[in-house]
Amino acid sequence: MKYRIEIPEPCHEDWDKMTPQDKGRHCDVCDKVVVDFSKYSKRDIINHIKKEGKICGRVPRQYVGINLEEEKIRKSFGLNGMVATMVNLLALTTISTAVAQEKPKVEQQSKALSKSSKSTKLLKKETFVLKGAVKESGRKGLGGVLVQVKGTSYTVMTDDIGNFELKLPVTLDRENCVLSCLKDNYFAEEVRVTDFDNPIDIEIYKVKLFVEPSVTGKVTIKEVCE
């Protein structure tokens, strides 16, 4: 599902003159708290508005009026998964019964060789590489971007054409893996990783000088059918 964040009637009140609050700032003119979405990811903005409804907010300009794809939710186990599991269990039971009835034909390999083999396999699986590319919106790859797994010390810098390879431990919490992309004069971007087998493409937006980087007003989201 894709959504478009809209602010039909931008507010022209001075943001800097509003009173700071926990979630943003209080506007004395309309007596409301204006939520500051400047540090929110696109997905977090969509989820917040879906939960709270029509609210006053300050949204990064590059998020307004463009189609944003909501992260796909992993499907539940479901009936097909249950059937597949039952079939697998039945096959394993049949194989186990046949093996138990058959007499051993060869001697077990030495324990030392077995341990050595297992150790080698574990070493090979200690890390994996997440590949991707960062580019400026509508342009080619962007070098010198710091890519970091949010909340960790795992970082890497993109090369001259925007590509990166990030070595990560196999114990990484993949369910909550978010990449932060940072570069001077560019808006910080956060992307949740859902596919670790294929390269991930990330777009970041350049800060335009002398242009208000955010839009304030009543924020709504609209479902986009394509």
Side-chain angles (χ1 to χ4, degrees), residues 130-135 142 144-150 152-159 162-168 178-183 189 191 193 200 202 204:
L130 177 63
K131 298 181 180 181
V134 180
K135 67 177 181 179
L142 190 63
V145 180
L146 180 66
V147 181
Q148 178 179 24
V149 178
K150 189 175 180 180
T152 75
S153 59
Y154 303 115
T155 60
V156 70
M157 196 76 72
T158 59
D159 61 20
N163 295 327
F164 68 86
E165 293 187 2
L166 188 57
K167 185 179 290 186
L168 301 170
V178 175
L179 294 183
S180 298
C181 300
L182 301 172
K183 184 176 174 64
E189 181 70 18
V191 178
V193 182
I200 179 172
I202 304 172
I204 61 176

PDB file of all heavy atoms in Angstrom, residues 130-135 142 144-150 152-159 162-168 178-183 189 191 193 200 202 204:
ATOM      1  N   LEU A 130      25.941  -7.001   4.086  1.00  0.00           N
ATOM      2  CA  LEU A 130      24.762  -6.320   3.556  1.00  0.00           C
ATOM      3  C   LEU A 130      25.232  -5.292   2.536  1.00  0.00           C
ATOM      4  O   LEU A 130      25.996  -4.394   2.858  1.00  0.00           O
ATOM      5  CB  LEU A 130      23.995  -5.636   4.688  1.00  0.00           C
ATOM      6  CG  LEU A 130      22.762  -4.816   4.258  1.00  0.00           C
ATOM      7  CD1 LEU A 130      21.715  -5.720   3.626  1.00  0.00           C
ATOM      8  CD2 LEU A 130      22.184  -4.070   5.450  1.00  0.00           C
ATOM      9  N   LYS A 131      24.770  -5.442   1.296  1.00  0.00           N
ATOM     10  CA  LYS A 131      25.196  -4.537   0.229  1.00  0.00           C
ATOM     11  C   LYS A 131      24.079  -3.550  -0.116  1.00  0.00           C
ATOM     12  O   LYS A 131      22.905  -3.823   0.105  1.00  0.00           O
ATOM     13  CB  LYS A 131      25.582  -5.333  -1.020  1.00  0.00           C
ATOM     14  CG  LYS A 131      26.761  -6.274  -0.814  1.00  0.00           C
ATOM     15  CD  LYS A 131      27.092  -7.010  -2.107  1.00  0.00           C
ATOM     16  CE  LYS A 131      28.280  -7.947  -1.913  1.00  0.00           C
ATOM     17  NZ  LYS A 131      28.635  -8.660  -3.169  1.00  0.00           N
ATOM     18  N   GLY A 132      24.488  -2.416  -0.664  1.00  0.00           N
ATOM     19  CA  GLY A 132      23.490  -1.436  -1.066  1.00  0.00           C
ATOM     20  C   GLY A 132      24.115  -0.245  -1.765  1.00  0.00           C
ATOM     21  O   GLY A 132      25.320  -0.220  -2.034  1.00  0.00           O
ATOM     22  N   ALA A 133      23.287   0.752  -2.051  1.00  0.00           N
ATOM     23  CA  ALA A 133      23.751   1.967  -2.720  1.00  0.00           C
ATOM     24  C   ALA A 133      22.918   3.151  -2.237  1.00  0.00           C
ATOM     25  O   ALA A 133      21.720   3.020  -1.984  1.00  0.00           O
ATOM     26  CB  ALA A 133      23.639   1.827  -4.235  1.00  0.00           C
ATOM     27  N   VAL A 134      23.577   4.287  -2.083  1.00  0.00           N
ATOM     28  CA  VAL A 134      22.901   5.520  -1.680  1.00  0.00           C
ATOM     29  C   VAL A 134      23.041   6.532  -2.809  1.00  0.00           C
ATOM     30  O   VAL A 134      24.124   6.705  -3.374  1.00  0.00           O
ATOM     31  CB  VAL A 134      23.523   6.106  -0.386  1.00  0.00           C
ATOM     32  CG1 VAL A 134      22.799   7.395   0.008  1.00  0.00           C
ATOM     33  CG2 VAL A 134      23.451   5.086   0.742  1.00  0.00           C
ATOM     34  N   LYS A 135      21.930   7.185  -3.148  1.00  0.00           N
ATOM     35  CA  LYS A 135      21.984   8.201  -4.195  1.00  0.00           C
ATOM     36  C   LYS A 135      21.154   9.410  -3.789  1.00  0.00           C
ATOM     37  O   LYS A 135      20.239   9.304  -2.965  1.00  0.00           O
ATOM     38  CB  LYS A 135      21.486   7.644  -5.525  1.00  0.00           C
ATOM     39  CG  LYS A 135      20.015   7.299  -5.561  1.00  0.00           C
ATOM     40  CD  LYS A 135      19.607   6.811  -6.950  1.00  0.00           C
ATOM     41  CE  LYS A 135      18.112   6.493  -7.007  1.00  0.00           C
ATOM     42  NZ  LYS A 135      17.714   6.048  -8.365  1.00  0.00           N
ATOM     43  N   LEU A 142      25.820   8.550  -4.560  1.00  0.00           N
ATOM     44  CA  LEU A 142      26.415   9.622  -3.772  1.00  0.00           C
ATOM     45  C   LEU A 142      27.498   9.062  -2.855  1.00  0.00           C
ATOM     46  O   LEU A 142      27.257   8.182  -2.036  1.00  0.00           O
ATOM     47  CB  LEU A 142      25.323  10.296  -2.938  1.00  0.00           C
ATOM     48  CG  LEU A 142      25.670  11.582  -2.213  1.00  0.00           C
ATOM     49  CD1 LEU A 142      26.045  12.679  -3.211  1.00  0.00           C
ATOM     50  CD2 LEU A 142      24.490  12.034  -1.368  1.00  0.00           C
ATOM     51  N   GLY A 144      30.669   9.280   0.080  1.00  0.00           N
ATOM     52  CA  GLY A 144      30.890   9.964   1.342  1.00  0.00           C
ATOM     53  C   GLY A 144      29.704   9.992   2.283  1.00  0.00           C
ATOM     54  O   GLY A 144      29.623  10.857   3.157  1.00  0.00           O
ATOM     55  N   VAL A 145      28.779   9.050   2.117  1.00  0.00           N
ATOM     56  CA  VAL A 145      27.623   8.971   3.007  1.00  0.00           C
ATOM     57  C   VAL A 145      27.917   7.949   4.108  1.00  0.00           C
ATOM     58  O   VAL A 145      28.333   6.828   3.828  1.00  0.00           O
ATOM     59  CB  VAL A 145      26.347   8.551   2.246  1.00  0.00           C
ATOM     60  CG1 VAL A 145      25.159   8.465   3.201  1.00  0.00           C
ATOM     61  CG2 VAL A 145      26.052   9.524   1.115  1.00  0.00           C
ATOM     62  N   LEU A 146      27.712   8.336   5.355  1.00  0.00           N
ATOM     63  CA  LEU A 146      27.913   7.424   6.476  1.00  0.00           C
ATOM     64  C   LEU A 146      26.654   6.572   6.646  1.00  0.00           C
ATOM     65  O   LEU A 146      25.580   7.093   6.917  1.00  0.00           O
ATOM     66  CB  LEU A 146      28.200   8.195   7.759  1.00  0.00           C
ATOM     67  CG  LEU A 146      28.419   7.339   9.016  1.00  0.00           C
ATOM     68  CD1 LEU A 146      29.696   6.527   8.874  1.00  0.00           C
ATOM     69  CD2 LEU A 146      28.476   8.207  10.264  1.00  0.00           C
ATOM     70  N   VAL A 147      26.809   5.263   6.481  1.00  0.00           N
ATOM     71  CA  VAL A 147      25.699   4.328   6.654  1.00  0.00           C
ATOM     72  C   VAL A 147      25.920   3.569   7.948  1.00  0.00           C
ATOM     73  O   VAL A 147      26.973   2.964   8.151  1.00  0.00           O
ATOM     74  CB  VAL A 147      25.620   3.338   5.464  1.00  0.00           C
ATOM     75  CG1 VAL A 147      24.442   2.384   5.648  1.00  0.00           C
ATOM     76  CG2 VAL A 147      25.486   4.100   4.152  1.00  0.00           C
ATOM     77  N   GLN A 148      24.935   3.607   8.833  1.00  0.00           N
ATOM     78  CA  GLN A 148      25.080   2.991  10.155  1.00  0.00           C
ATOM     79  C   GLN A 148      23.829   2.212  10.528  1.00  0.00           C
ATOM     80  O   GLN A 148      22.710   2.625  10.228  1.00  0.00           O
ATOM     81  CB  GLN A 148      25.327   4.071  11.204  1.00  0.00           C
ATOM     82  CG  GLN A 148      25.455   3.526  12.633  1.00  0.00           C
ATOM     83  CD  GLN A 148      25.726   4.638  13.636  1.00  0.00           C
ATOM     84  OE1 GLN A 148      25.402   5.790  13.400  1.00  0.00           O
ATOM     85  NE2 GLN A 148      26.334   4.294  14.754  1.00  0.00           N
ATOM     86  N   VAL A 149      24.034   1.050  11.157  1.00  0.00           N
ATOM     87  CA  VAL A 149      22.901   0.320  11.719  1.00  0.00           C
ATOM     88  C   VAL A 149      22.507   1.052  12.990  1.00  0.00           C
ATOM     89  O   VAL A 149      23.294   1.149  13.934  1.00  0.00           O
ATOM     90  CB  VAL A 149      23.270  -1.143  12.042  1.00  0.00           C
ATOM     91  CG1 VAL A 149      22.063  -1.846  12.683  1.00  0.00           C
ATOM     92  CG2 VAL A 149      23.675  -1.877  10.768  1.00  0.00           C
ATOM     93  N   LYS A 150      21.296   1.585  13.003  1.00  0.00           N
ATOM     94  CA  LYS A 150      20.836   2.423  14.107  1.00  0.00           C
ATOM     95  C   LYS A 150      20.976   1.706  15.450  1.00  0.00           C
ATOM     96  O   LYS A 150      20.593   0.551  15.597  1.00  0.00           O
ATOM     97  CB  LYS A 150      19.376   2.817  13.883  1.00  0.00           C
ATOM     98  CG  LYS A 150      18.843   3.853  14.857  1.00  0.00           C
ATOM     99  CD  LYS A 150      17.438   4.270  14.486  1.00  0.00           C
ATOM    100  CE  LYS A 150      16.898   5.308  15.467  1.00  0.00           C
ATOM    101  NZ  LYS A 150      15.515   5.725  15.101  1.00  0.00           N
ATOM    102  N   THR A 152      23.762   0.862  16.900  1.00  0.00           N
ATOM    103  CA  THR A 152      24.948   0.016  16.991  1.00  0.00           C
ATOM    104  C   THR A 152      26.178   0.793  16.530  1.00  0.00           C
ATOM    105  O   THR A 152      26.078   1.947  16.107  1.00  0.00           O
ATOM    106  CB  THR A 152      24.815  -1.246  16.112  1.00  0.00           C
ATOM    107  OG1 THR A 152      24.981  -0.886  14.727  1.00  0.00           O
ATOM    108  CG2 THR A 152      23.466  -1.913  16.310  1.00  0.00           C
ATOM    109  N   SER A 153      27.338   0.140  16.581  1.00  0.00           N
ATOM    110  CA  SER A 153      28.587   0.761  16.125  1.00  0.00           C
ATOM    111  C   SER A 153      28.965   0.288  14.721  1.00  0.00           C
ATOM    112  O   SER A 153      30.064   0.584  14.247  1.00  0.00           O
ATOM    113  CB  SER A 153      29.722   0.424  17.108  1.00  0.00           C
ATOM    114  OG  SER A 153      29.899  -0.985  17.202  1.00  0.00           O
ATOM    115  N   TYR A 154      28.069  -0.437  14.057  1.00  0.00           N
ATOM    116  CA  TYR A 154      28.362  -0.954  12.719  1.00  0.00           C
ATOM    117  C   TYR A 154      28.137   0.146  11.690  1.00  0.00           C
ATOM    118  O   TYR A 154      27.001   0.566  11.437  1.00  0.00           O
ATOM    119  CB  TYR A 154      27.496  -2.168  12.404  1.00  0.00           C
ATOM    120  CG  TYR A 154      27.644  -3.288  13.397  1.00  0.00           C
ATOM    121  CD1 TYR A 154      26.577  -3.686  14.197  1.00  0.00           C
ATOM    122  CD2 TYR A 154      28.871  -3.930  13.567  1.00  0.00           C
ATOM    123  CE1 TYR A 154      26.730  -4.703  15.136  1.00  0.00           C
ATOM    124  CE2 TYR A 154      29.030  -4.944  14.500  1.00  0.00           C
ATOM    125  CZ  TYR A 154      27.945  -5.327  15.281  1.00  0.00           C
ATOM    126  OH  TYR A 154      28.100  -6.326  16.204  1.00  0.00           O
ATOM    127  N   THR A 155      29.237   0.630  11.095  1.00  0.00           N
ATOM    128  CA  THR A 155      29.159   1.726  10.132  1.00  0.00           C
ATOM    129  C   THR A 155      30.049   1.444   8.924  1.00  0.00           C
ATOM    130  O   THR A 155      30.977   0.624   8.984  1.00  0.00           O
ATOM    131  CB  THR A 155      29.614   3.053  10.764  1.00  0.00           C
ATOM    132  OG1 THR A 155      30.977   2.930  11.206  1.00  0.00           O
ATOM    133  CG2 THR A 155      28.734   3.423  11.943  1.00  0.00           C
ATOM    134  N   VAL A 156      29.750   2.156   7.845  1.00  0.00           N
ATOM    135  CA  VAL A 156      30.573   2.082   6.638  1.00  0.00           C
ATOM    136  C   VAL A 156      30.314   3.349   5.829  1.00  0.00           C
ATOM    137  O   VAL A 156      29.258   3.969   5.955  1.00  0.00           O
ATOM    138  CB  VAL A 156      30.227   0.822   5.802  1.00  0.00           C
ATOM    139  CG1 VAL A 156      28.855   0.956   5.159  1.00  0.00           C
ATOM    140  CG2 VAL A 156      31.301   0.565   4.751  1.00  0.00           C
ATOM    141  N   MET A 157      31.294   3.749   5.021  1.00  0.00           N
ATOM    142  CA  MET A 157      31.160   4.937   4.174  1.00  0.00           C
ATOM    143  C   MET A 157      30.964   4.497   2.730  1.00  0.00           C
ATOM    144  O   MET A 157      31.630   3.570   2.254  1.00  0.00           O
ATOM    145  CB  MET A 157      32.406   5.809   4.288  1.00  0.00           C
ATOM    146  CG  MET A 157      32.224   7.218   3.758  1.00  0.00           C
ATOM    147  SD  MET A 157      31.296   8.275   4.886  1.00  0.00           S
ATOM    148  CE  MET A 157      32.508   8.532   6.186  1.00  0.00           C
ATOM    149  N   THR A 158      30.053   5.150   2.020  1.00  0.00           N
ATOM    150  CA  THR A 158      29.838   4.798   0.615  1.00  0.00           C
ATOM    151  C   THR A 158      31.051   5.200  -0.221  1.00  0.00           C
ATOM    152  O   THR A 158      31.737   6.175   0.091  1.00  0.00           O
ATOM    153  CB  THR A 158      28.588   5.495   0.048  1.00  0.00           C
ATOM    154  OG1 THR A 158      28.741   6.920   0.159  1.00  0.00           O
ATOM    155  CG2 THR A 158      27.333   5.058   0.789  1.00  0.00           C
ATOM    156  N   ASP A 159      31.299   4.456  -1.296  1.00  0.00           N
ATOM    157  CA  ASP A 159      32.425   4.780  -2.174  1.00  0.00           C
ATOM    158  C   ASP A 159      32.050   5.926  -3.108  1.00  0.00           C
ATOM    159  O   ASP A 159      30.990   6.545  -2.962  1.00  0.00           O
ATOM    160  CB  ASP A 159      32.874   3.539  -2.955  1.00  0.00           C
ATOM    161  CG  ASP A 159      31.777   2.978  -3.865  1.00  0.00           C
ATOM    162  OD1 ASP A 159      30.818   3.715  -4.190  1.00  0.00           O
ATOM    163  OD2 ASP A 159      31.880   1.802  -4.262  1.00  0.00           O
ATOM    164  N   GLY A 162      28.632   5.703  -4.583  1.00  0.00           N
ATOM    165  CA  GLY A 162      27.508   5.492  -3.685  1.00  0.00           C
ATOM    166  C   GLY A 162      27.286   4.086  -3.180  1.00  0.00           C
ATOM    167  O   GLY A 162      26.346   3.840  -2.416  1.00  0.00           O
ATOM    168  N   ASN A 163      28.126   3.138  -3.570  1.00  0.00           N
ATOM    169  CA  ASN A 163      27.940   1.755  -3.133  1.00  0.00           C
ATOM    170  C   ASN A 163      28.553   1.527  -1.749  1.00  0.00           C
ATOM    171  O   ASN A 163      29.520   2.187  -1.362  1.00  0.00           O
ATOM    172  CB  ASN A 163      28.573   0.785  -4.126  1.00  0.00           C
ATOM    173  CG  ASN A 163      27.881   0.822  -5.478  1.00  0.00           C
ATOM    174  OD1 ASN A 163      26.672   1.034  -5.557  1.00  0.00           O
ATOM    175  ND2 ASN A 163      28.636   0.627  -6.544  1.00  0.00           N
ATOM    176  N   PHE A 164      27.996   0.563  -1.019  1.00  0.00           N
ATOM    177  CA  PHE A 164      28.563   0.207   0.281  1.00  0.00           C
ATOM    178  C   PHE A 164      28.385  -1.282   0.547  1.00  0.00           C
ATOM    179  O   PHE A 164      27.486  -1.923   0.007  1.00  0.00           O
ATOM    180  CB  PHE A 164      27.923   1.019   1.414  1.00  0.00           C
ATOM    181  CG  PHE A 164      26.477   0.694   1.667  1.00  0.00           C
ATOM    182  CD1 PHE A 164      26.098  -0.348   2.513  1.00  0.00           C
ATOM    183  CD2 PHE A 164      25.474   1.437   1.066  1.00  0.00           C
ATOM    184  CE1 PHE A 164      24.770  -0.635   2.762  1.00  0.00           C
ATOM    185  CE2 PHE A 164      24.127   1.155   1.303  1.00  0.00           C
ATOM    186  CZ  PHE A 164      23.775   0.112   2.150  1.00  0.00           C
ATOM    187  N   GLU A 165      29.292  -1.819   1.353  1.00  0.00           N
ATOM    188  CA  GLU A 165      29.214  -3.204   1.826  1.00  0.00           C
ATOM    189  C   GLU A 165      29.441  -3.175   3.327  1.00  0.00           C
ATOM    190  O   GLU A 165      30.516  -2.820   3.790  1.00  0.00           O
ATOM    191  CB  GLU A 165      30.260  -4.087   1.131  1.00  0.00           C
ATOM    192  CG  GLU A 165      30.006  -4.274  -0.357  1.00  0.00           C
ATOM    193  CD  GLU A 165      30.948  -5.287  -0.976  1.00  0.00           C
ATOM    194  OE1 GLU A 165      31.773  -5.862  -0.225  1.00  0.00           O
ATOM    195  OE2 GLU A 165      30.874  -5.507  -2.198  1.00  0.00           O
ATOM    196  N   LEU A 166      28.433  -3.548   4.068  1.00  0.00           N
ATOM    197  CA  LEU A 166      28.471  -3.468   5.526  1.00  0.00           C
ATOM    198  C   LEU A 166      28.549  -4.866   6.118  1.00  0.00           C
ATOM    199  O   LEU A 166      27.640  -5.676   5.943  1.00  0.00           O
ATOM    200  CB  LEU A 166      27.215  -2.746   6.018  1.00  0.00           C
ATOM    201  CG  LEU A 166      27.122  -2.374   7.491  1.00  0.00           C
ATOM    202  CD1 LEU A 166      28.308  -1.504   7.906  1.00  0.00           C
ATOM    203  CD2 LEU A 166      25.820  -1.623   7.749  1.00  0.00           C
ATOM    204  N   LYS A 167      29.670  -5.178   6.781  1.00  0.00           N
ATOM    205  CA  LYS A 167      29.856  -6.490   7.395  1.00  0.00           C
ATOM    206  C   LYS A 167      29.155  -6.516   8.747  1.00  0.00           C
ATOM    207  O   LYS A 167      29.412  -5.675   9.605  1.00  0.00           O
ATOM    208  CB  LYS A 167      31.343  -6.798   7.563  1.00  0.00           C
ATOM    209  CG  LYS A 167      31.610  -8.210   8.093  1.00  0.00           C
ATOM    210  CD  LYS A 167      33.103  -8.479   8.215  1.00  0.00           C
ATOM    211  CE  LYS A 167      33.769  -8.586   6.856  1.00  0.00           C
ATOM    212  NZ  LYS A 167      35.192  -9.001   6.976  1.00  0.00           N
ATOM    213  N   LEU A 168      28.260  -7.474   8.921  1.00  0.00           N
ATOM    214  CA  LEU A 168      27.441  -7.553  10.130  1.00  0.00           C
ATOM    215  C   LEU A 168      27.491  -8.949  10.729  1.00  0.00           C
ATOM    216  O   LEU A 168      27.699  -9.928  10.013  1.00  0.00           O
ATOM    217  CB  LEU A 168      25.981  -7.202   9.795  1.00  0.00           C
ATOM    218  CG  LEU A 168      25.747  -5.809   9.192  1.00  0.00           C
ATOM    219  CD1 LEU A 168      24.323  -5.692   8.692  1.00  0.00           C
ATOM    220  CD2 LEU A 168      26.040  -4.731  10.218  1.00  0.00           C
ATOM    221  N   VAL A 178      17.523  -1.073  11.266  1.00  0.00           N
ATOM    222  CA  VAL A 178      17.254   0.192  10.579  1.00  0.00           C
ATOM    223  C   VAL A 178      18.585   0.840  10.212  1.00  0.00           C
ATOM    224  O   VAL A 178      19.474   0.969  11.053  1.00  0.00           O
ATOM    225  CB  VAL A 178      16.445   1.152  11.472  1.00  0.00           C
ATOM    226  CG1 VAL A 178      16.269   2.504  10.785  1.00  0.00           C
ATOM    227  CG2 VAL A 178      15.087   0.548  11.793  1.00  0.00           C
ATOM    228  N   LEU A 179      18.729   1.245   8.943  1.00  0.00           N
ATOM    229  CA  LEU A 179      19.941   1.921   8.491  1.00  0.00           C
ATOM    230  C   LEU A 179      19.745   3.426   8.534  1.00  0.00           C
ATOM    231  O   LEU A 179      18.733   3.943   8.055  1.00  0.00           O
ATOM    232  CB  LEU A 179      20.289   1.499   7.063  1.00  0.00           C
ATOM    233  CG  LEU A 179      20.692   0.044   6.824  1.00  0.00           C
ATOM    234  CD1 LEU A 179      21.080  -0.148   5.361  1.00  0.00           C
ATOM    235  CD2 LEU A 179      21.838  -0.376   7.731  1.00  0.00           C
ATOM    236  N   SER A 180      20.724   4.132   9.130  1.00  0.00           N
ATOM    237  CA  SER A 180      20.717   5.593   9.140  1.00  0.00           C
ATOM    238  C   SER A 180      21.761   6.087   8.154  1.00  0.00           C
ATOM    239  O   SER A 180      22.889   5.584   8.145  1.00  0.00           O
ATOM    240  CB  SER A 180      21.041   6.120  10.547  1.00  0.00           C
ATOM    241  OG  SER A 180      20.065   5.714  11.476  1.00  0.00           O
ATOM    242  N   CYS A 181      21.378   7.041   7.318  1.00  0.00           N
ATOM    243  CA  CYS A 181      22.293   7.591   6.314  1.00  0.00           C
ATOM    244  C   CYS A 181      22.533   9.067   6.619  1.00  0.00           C
ATOM    245  O   CYS A 181      21.580   9.859   6.664  1.00  0.00           O
ATOM    246  CB  CYS A 181      21.709   7.430   4.918  1.00  0.00           C
ATOM    247  SG  CYS A 181      21.416   5.709   4.467  1.00  0.00           S
ATOM    248  N   LEU A 182      23.811   9.439   6.804  1.00  0.00           N
ATOM    249  CA  LEU A 182      24.146  10.801   7.204  1.00  0.00           C
ATOM    250  C   LEU A 182      25.190  11.401   6.274  1.00  0.00           C
ATOM    251  O   LEU A 182      26.181  10.749   5.929  1.00  0.00           O
ATOM    252  CB  LEU A 182      24.680  10.815   8.641  1.00  0.00           C
ATOM    253  CG  LEU A 182      23.752  10.263   9.731  1.00  0.00           C
ATOM    254  CD1 LEU A 182      24.501  10.162  11.059  1.00  0.00           C
ATOM    255  CD2 LEU A 182      22.536  11.140   9.891  1.00  0.00           C
ATOM    256  N   LYS A 183      24.961  12.647   5.879  1.00  0.00           N
ATOM    257  CA  LYS A 183      25.938  13.389   5.066  1.00  0.00           C
ATOM    258  C   LYS A 183      25.631  14.869   5.226  1.00  0.00           C
ATOM    259  O   LYS A 183      24.460  15.270   5.270  1.00  0.00           O
ATOM    260  CB  LYS A 183      25.851  12.988   3.593  1.00  0.00           C
ATOM    261  CG  LYS A 183      26.912  13.671   2.709  1.00  0.00           C
ATOM    262  CD  LYS A 183      26.845  13.176   1.275  1.00  0.00           C
ATOM    263  CE  LYS A 183      27.799  13.945   0.361  1.00  0.00           C
ATOM    264  NZ  LYS A 183      29.223  13.727   0.734  1.00  0.00           N
ATOM    265  N   GLU A 189      18.345  10.193   6.670  1.00  0.00           N
ATOM    266  CA  GLU A 189      17.350   9.233   6.190  1.00  0.00           C
ATOM    267  C   GLU A 189      17.483   7.930   6.966  1.00  0.00           C
ATOM    268  O   GLU A 189      18.581   7.453   7.231  1.00  0.00           O
ATOM    269  CB  GLU A 189      17.546   8.970   4.696  1.00  0.00           C
ATOM    270  CG  GLU A 189      16.544   8.000   4.088  1.00  0.00           C
ATOM    271  CD  GLU A 189      15.146   8.586   4.006  1.00  0.00           C
ATOM    272  OE1 GLU A 189      15.012   9.819   4.088  1.00  0.00           O
ATOM    273  OE2 GLU A 189      14.187   7.811   3.857  1.00  0.00           O
ATOM    274  N   VAL A 191      16.052   3.879   6.989  1.00  0.00           N
ATOM    275  CA  VAL A 191      15.376   2.860   6.181  1.00  0.00           C
ATOM    276  C   VAL A 191      15.403   1.534   6.922  1.00  0.00           C
ATOM    277  O   VAL A 191      16.466   1.072   7.344  1.00  0.00           O
ATOM    278  CB  VAL A 191      16.062   2.697   4.809  1.00  0.00           C
ATOM    279  CG1 VAL A 191      15.373   1.598   4.003  1.00  0.00           C
ATOM    280  CG2 VAL A 191      16.035   4.011   4.044  1.00  0.00           C
ATOM    281  N   VAL A 193      15.434  -2.362   7.023  1.00  0.00           N
ATOM    282  CA  VAL A 193      15.870  -3.421   6.107  1.00  0.00           C
ATOM    283  C   VAL A 193      14.942  -4.635   6.266  1.00  0.00           C
ATOM    284  O   VAL A 193      14.764  -5.146   7.370  1.00  0.00           O
ATOM    285  CB  VAL A 193      17.323  -3.839   6.386  1.00  0.00           C
ATOM    286  CG1 VAL A 193      17.762  -4.901   5.374  1.00  0.00           C
ATOM    287  CG2 VAL A 193      18.238  -2.627   6.314  1.00  0.00           C
ATOM    288  N   ILE A 200      20.243  -3.122  -1.214  1.00  0.00           N
ATOM    289  CA  ILE A 200      19.194  -2.179  -0.875  1.00  0.00           C
ATOM    290  C   ILE A 200      19.523  -0.814  -1.465  1.00  0.00           C
ATOM    291  O   ILE A 200      20.675  -0.362  -1.395  1.00  0.00           O
ATOM    292  CB  ILE A 200      19.016  -2.085   0.661  1.00  0.00           C
ATOM    293  CG1 ILE A 200      17.929  -1.086   1.021  1.00  0.00           C
ATOM    294  CG2 ILE A 200      20.325  -1.726   1.349  1.00  0.00           C
ATOM    295  CD1 ILE A 200      17.578  -1.092   2.497  1.00  0.00           C
ATOM    296  N   ILE A 202      18.886   3.279  -1.478  1.00  0.00           N
ATOM    297  CA  ILE A 202      18.437   4.329  -0.558  1.00  0.00           C
ATOM    298  C   ILE A 202      18.581   5.694  -1.244  1.00  0.00           C
ATOM    299  O   ILE A 202      19.591   5.971  -1.885  1.00  0.00           O
ATOM    300  CB  ILE A 202      19.271   4.315   0.737  1.00  0.00           C
ATOM    301  CG1 ILE A 202      19.198   2.930   1.392  1.00  0.00           C
ATOM    302  CG2 ILE A 202      18.787   5.392   1.701  1.00  0.00           C
ATOM    303  CD1 ILE A 202      20.147   2.776   2.566  1.00  0.00           C
ATOM    304  N   ILE A 204      18.526   9.885  -0.565  1.00  0.00           N
ATOM    305  CA  ILE A 204      18.537  10.956   0.430  1.00  0.00           C
ATOM    306  C   ILE A 204      18.354  12.286  -0.292  1.00  0.00           C
ATOM    307  O   ILE A 204      18.615  12.406  -1.499  1.00  0.00           O
ATOM    308  CB  ILE A 204      19.823  10.955   1.271  1.00  0.00           C
ATOM    309  CG1 ILE A 204      21.062  11.174   0.402  1.00  0.00           C
ATOM    310  CG2 ILE A 204      19.957   9.672   2.046  1.00  0.00           C
ATOM    311  CD1 ILE A 204      22.344  11.276   1.237  1.00  0.00           C
TER     312      ILE A 204
END
